[in-house]
Amino acid sequence: MANHKSSEKRIRQTKTRTLHNRYYAKTMRNAVRKLRAMTEKDEAVALYPKVQKMLDKLATKGIIHRNKAANLKSSLCKHISKLG
């Protein structure tokens, strides 16, 4: 248990930030899943910029690593190019 006022506050802040980060990471994972499940190229091409923007924003804020964002964007781009 925390012994200092500042450490109690730090625990509260960490809990809030963790919830916030978990929400956006889950939203990103769902968007990536949705894009990978698409079979229509037109729909996938329309959704890709939104997912790309989301990945870049999360990487900038430090919720995911920038290399992970780059790898995801690359693999999604490859997936879209394979669609007929």
Side-chain angles (χ1 to χ4, degrees):
M1 192 61 208
N3 292 323
H4 298 284
K5 231 179 183 180
S6 62
S7 59
E8 290 172 353
K9 181 179 177 180
R10 179 67 54 208
I11 290 168
R12 287 194 310 269
Q13 286 177 331
T14 304
K15 201 179 296 182
T16 306
R17 288 190 185 125
T18 302
L19 272 174
H20 180 265
N21 291 344
R22 196 183 301 156
Y23 169 78
Y24 283 104
K26 183 71 173 180
T27 306
M28 178 266 307
R29 284 197 303 274
N30 287 337
V32 168
R33 261 189 223 119
K34 184 179 177 185
L35 188 60
R36 282 203 180 117
M38 287 187 172
T39 55
E40 293 292 323
K41 188 167 187 163
D42 298 336
E43 294 174 12
V45 168
L47 183 65
Y48 181 69
K50 293 175 187 170
V51 175
Q52 186 178 10
K53 184 178 178 184
M54 187 186 301
L55 289 168
D56 287 336
K57 195 178 280 189
L58 292 178
T60 304
K61 292 182 184 285
I63 295 172
I64 61 171
H65 197 274
R66 56 192 161 84
N67 290 352
K68 180 183 175 83
N71 289 337
L72 282 170
K73 287 191 293 186
S74 172
S75 68
L76 288 173
C77 204
K78 205 180 292 184
H79 170 73
I80 291 172
S81 68
K82 285 181 184 175
L83 293 175

